Amino acid sequence: MKRTIGDFLLDRLSQIGVKDILGVPGDYNLQLLIQAEKRKDINFVGTRNELNGGYAADGYSRLNGISALLTTYGVGDLSAINAIAGAYAEYVPIVCITGAPPLNSMYRRRFLHHTTAEGNFEDVMSCYRSFTVAQARIAPQNAVEEIDRVLRACVRKKRPVYLQIPSDITFFEIDVYNEKLSLRQQTSDAQQLNAVVACIEEKLAKAQNPSALLGMALDRFGLHDATQSMIENLQIPFATTSAAQCVLDGDHPQWIGGYSGHSSSDLVKAAIEESDCLFGLNVKFTDSNSSYFTQKIPENMIDIRPFRTIIGHQVFEGVSAIELLNRLSEIKPPRKYQNWKPKTAKTGNSWVAKKDEKLIQNRFWERVEKFIKPHDVVVTEAGTSMRGVKILDMPSGITIISQPLWLSIGYSLPALFGSSLAQPDRRQMIFIGDGSFQLTAQEVSSFFEHDLKPIIFLINNRGYTIERAIMGFHAKYNDIPNWNYRQLFDAFSDGKEYFARQVNTEDDLEKALNEAEKVPDQLRLIEIMFDPLDIPKAVQSSANMVAAFNYGPRGLRELDKKIDD
């Protein structure tokens, strides 16, 4: 049947689950936007700039399963590329669409605006090749095949893809198939699957201390349920890397804690490092999740990746992780392992505000643990916020959105906008420092525009606290100007009601939290005032490792100004 190129692309986006396209209008993408505005199944949502749009698409995708970002050529897609690189690093599927110059102008190598005026129309594509798993420039003769190829790669590989849609072709009619895009995943080679299951059963039969370590993107690859079933069937303990916090419930009785090399608890280190049959679920060790490569992982770890499994020197290609985990959920464990004990029941959080006591970081996070409810979405920013949330004892059903690998400051605020847009019925909250907030603050206006009501905990400690802890406690480069955040929200709110409190003491915090819970129909800003040098011991310890790794023993460090433990 006949369909315009623009409508065919929008059809396909709708079929794979995209309900909202985030981004910024530009002169090369307006024709596609006109087509989108006529539809009921898909909606364009403008963001305040393209970088924020990329971050928002990242947050949207983490809850929705996939997202789309629309920019204009050159100035738009290069503004967004930092966010797309982060999504690539962290396995977040985003369909990046850019309105490109007219096809005939690219063929004739004309000198156009938003280009370097050298007739080079491959430079932007070259930039995106490093951070996407498939790319295409659409033309009438290739539109069906290329759009389908690129979208399949996005869905299957759980990473961004890039489509250039020339501005002069979106209304061209093409012949299309009257069927939905097939997204069926490739199944395992039966012989390979049987071989790896047999190998694992042999290891389990000899094992005394099996355990599991959960890595990144298990939820994006759809491995959540199968992983939990396997762990519960085998009755083994599991630990999580930072990217897997709360992928399985934080109150699961078999969860023993987070693993990060020598910074882990003795219980977790023993269970992981001394395991004689360790299951690694898409584990990738980086400086930040391993306490600077101090992990001690058994060489024969069962390394289960989405489409292959590695055991020691054996590589089993063509094995689907979900099929393997389902098989392991059905086998009979050879024995009852005695290498872990069920957790004792929680005693409950007994935090009580100390009247007129100045609020400090450690006490704040204790109270936050009591505030978070089952099924909340918790968004955290790089810095003290991410580390604060990392140590909390979480209830069931929590989703944590963070960027523990790419660590781009400013990410979390627009990511919260995207996640709130994707699932507006869930209670969502963010913990963000003032330094990070100032990078992407304009996206606050999008919450008001779309009547989204998250809780924003703004950690105001007058600068870059993590950088202070790494190097330069009193250095001017770690200072930032203090904003009147309440007035900023007044400017962004366009007259809509919102809740705002500034917290200095423990009883301020208790009152603000209690009052905030009574106005769920308003966006809520709770500004937490901390001393710039209020640095928790765990944060300082982590910062010391960063400084030692980045600058070495001869690096310029303020050793004489260390904060007392």
Side-chain angles (χ1 to χ4, degrees):
M1 67 180 195
K2 293 288 187 180
R3 200 81 169 125
T4 69
I5 290 174
D7 278 320
F8 176 71
L9 172 59
L10 295 168
D11 290 344
R12 289 308 204 210
L13 290 174
S14 180
Q15 288 168 18
I16 63 176
V18 173
K19 303 177 186 68
D20 303 282
I21 300 174
L22 294 133
V24 177
D27 60 342
Y28 291 135
N29 65 28
L30 299 179
Q31 200 171 61
L32 182 61
L33 281 171
I34 286 175
Q35 291 174 289
E37 281 208 344
K38 295 178 179 179
R39 301 176 67 107
K40 295 181 179 179
D41 61 336
I42 208 158
N43 183 46
F44 176 73
V45 177
T47 55
R48 307 290 67 83
N49 59 53
E50 293 89 353
L51 177 59
N52 285 8
Y55 290 148
D58 183 305
Y60 186 103
S61 180
R62 290 181 192 237
L63 289 192
N64 186 62
I66 197 163
S67 65
L69 173 70
L70 180 65
T71 58
T72 201
Y73 187 79
V75 294
D77 37 18
L78 291 185
S79 290
I81 200 167
N82 173 43
I84 301 309
Y88 179 89
E90 307 222 354
Y91 293 94
V92 180
I94 302 174
V95 182
C96 305
I97 306 161
T98 187
L103 199 57
N104 71 83
S105 293
M106 289 194 279
Y107 284 152
R108 296 165 69 181
R109 298 176 63 85
R110 285 185 163 179
F111 297 169
L112 303 180
H113 68 283
H114 295 341
T115 76
T116 56
E118 295 174 327
N120 179 4
F121 292 95
E122 296 302 318
D123 49 3
V124 177
M125 181 74 80
S126 296
C127 292
Y128 267 79
R129 284 194 179 99
S130 295
F131 304 112
T132 56
V133 292
Q135 314 81 30
R137 177 176 296 155
I138 301 306
Q141 63 269 29
N142 72 9
V144 173
E145 292 77 10
E146 287 292 81
I147 288 172
D148 284 359
R149 175 184 68 85
V150 170
L151 294 185
R152 280 195 190 97
C154 188
V155 171
R156 290 174 176 172
K157 297 184 179 181
K158 308 302 179 187
R159 277 178 155 165
V161 294
Y162 180 63
L163 286 170
Q164 289 185 350
I165 312 293
S167 60
D168 59 341
I169 70 166
T170 65
F171 273 93
F172 285 10
E173 286 193 337
I174 55 173
D175 294 313
V176 303
Y177 304 112
N178 189 18
E179 57 189 40
K180 291 185 177 181
L181 177 64
S182 172
L183 298 175
R184 186 178 168 207
Q185 295 281 6
Q186 186 62 44
T187 57
S188 301
D189 175 87
Q191 191 170 341
Q192 287 287 86
L193 179 58
N194 290 335
V196 71
V197 170
C199 183
I200 291 172
E201 287 185 310
E202 184 178 344
K203 286 179 64 67
L204 280 170
K206 299 175 183 177
Q208 299 297 321
N209 300 298
S211 60
L213 179 61
L214 276 52
M216 62 193 313
L218 298 184
D219 49 349
R220 264 95 76 194
F221 281 103
L223 301 178
H224 168 281
D225 291 342
T227 298
Q228 182 163 323
S229 295
M230 184 268 286
I231 288 169
E232 291 175 350
N233 177 53
L234 298 180
Q235 281 295 294
I236 59 176
F238 72 94
T240 50
T241 62
S242 56
Q245 186 181 6
C246 290
V247 167
L248 301 189
D249 282 347
D251 59 357
H252 194 288
Q254 289 167 245
W255 183 65
I256 54 173
Y259 179 76
S260 56
H262 70 48
S263 296
S264 314
S265 70
D266 290 341
L267 170 69
V268 172
K269 278 194 287 189
I272 299 303
E273 297 179 353
E274 298 172 18
S275 174
D276 52 6
C277 185
L278 176 63
F279 293 86
L281 280 298
N282 208 33
V283 172
K284 181 184 288 188
F285 287 110
T286 68
D287 54 356
S288 54
N289 75 5
S290 66
S291 297
Y292 285 83
F293 308 108
T294 59
Q295 76 275 10
K296 295 180 180 178
I297 299 300
E299 291 184 2
N300 61 348
M301 178 179 77
I302 301 167
D303 186 359
I304 300 175
R305 303 183 188 182
F307 306 108
R308 70 172 58 85
T309 294
I310 304 168
I311 304 175
H313 298 294
Q314 293 180 279
V315 180
F316 297 88
E317 293 285 359
V319 173
S320 160
I322 195 161
E323 288 185 290
L324 174 57
L325 292 169
N326 285 337
R327 286 280 296 272
L328 296 175
S329 300
E330 296 168 357
I331 65 173
K332 183 178 180 180
R335 64 172 61 87
K336 185 174 181 180
Y337 303 108
Q338 302 296 324
N339 59 328
W340 69 284
K341 294 180 180 179
K343 290 184 192 174
T344 56
K346 293 180 183 177
T347 57
N349 189 315
S350 58
W351 195 93
V352 176
K354 301 174 183 176
K355 187 173 177 56
D356 297 327
E357 185 84 10
K358 180 172 174 53
L359 187 63
I360 62 172
Q361 288 258 7
N362 287 336
R363 289 282 290 170
F364 170 71
W365 292 111
E366 288 177 20
R367 181 60 181 91
V368 164
E369 182 178 84
K370 188 177 178 181
F371 181 74
I372 294 173
K373 299 177 181 178
H375 308 294
D376 281 348
V377 177
V378 179
V379 183
T380 69
E381 181 61 65
T384 54
S385 298
M386 187 178 293
R387 285 164 176 79
V389 168
K390 183 179 177 181
I391 63 172
L392 300 185
D393 214 354
M394 292 291 193
S396 63
I398 293 291
T399 300
I400 293 179
I401 294 177
S402 64
Q403 217 183 36
L405 175 55
W406 192 246
L407 290 171
S408 183
I409 66 170
Y411 158 83
S412 64
L413 186 68
L416 173 69
F417 171 58
S419 65
S420 299
L421 194 67
Q423 293 187 0
D425 294 335
R426 293 178 70 181
R427 190 174 81 151
Q428 304 206 22
M429 66 187 71
I430 185 175
F431 298 91
I432 181 170
D434 52 347
S436 297
F437 181 87
Q438 290 190 12
L439 269 72
T440 52
Q442 60 271 66
E443 215 57 48
V444 167
S445 65
S446 297
F447 294 107
F448 288 109
E449 179 187 7
H450 295 277
D451 294 318
L452 300 171
K453 315 291 173 52
I455 306 169
I456 299 174
F457 288 95
L458 177 57
I459 311 299
N460 187 339
N461 43 22
R462 304 294 183 96
Y464 301 118
T465 296
I466 286 291
E467 281 72 15
R468 291 190 201 280
I470 294 170
M471 185 180 293
F473 286 115
H474 305 286
K476 290 183 179 180
Y477 57 74
N478 283 325
D479 297 334
I480 62 170
N482 192 45
W483 291 0
N484 187 321
Y485 294 99
R486 175 68 181 264
Q487 288 188 0
L488 191 69
F489 275 63
D490 284 342
F492 286 144
S493 67
D494 194 24
K496 293 182 178 178
E497 283 190 327
Y498 69 96
F499 172 92
R501 296 289 185 274
Q502 188 180 86
V503 168
N504 290 277
T505 65
E506 291 197 4
D507 38 336
D508 285 346
L509 176 63
E510 187 66 24
K511 182 179 179 182
L513 294 179
N514 291 333
E515 291 177 348
E517 295 226 66
K518 296 175 182 177
V519 285
D521 58 337
Q522 294 182 22
L523 184 149
R524 287 149 286 177
L525 166 67
I526 302 177
E527 183 183 4
I528 314 294
M529 309 300 289
F530 288 128
D531 186 282
L533 296 184
D534 178 5
I535 303 174
K537 183 177 180 180
V539 172
Q540 185 61 61
S541 176
S542 175
N544 292 344
M545 286 188 280
V546 174
F549 184 86
N550 286 354
Y551 302 106
R554 295 183 62 186
L556 299 176
R557 304 198 53 211
E558 295 187 341
L559 296 177
D560 58 327
K561 296 181 180 178
K562 277 187 177 293
I563 295 176
D564 293 335
D565 290 341

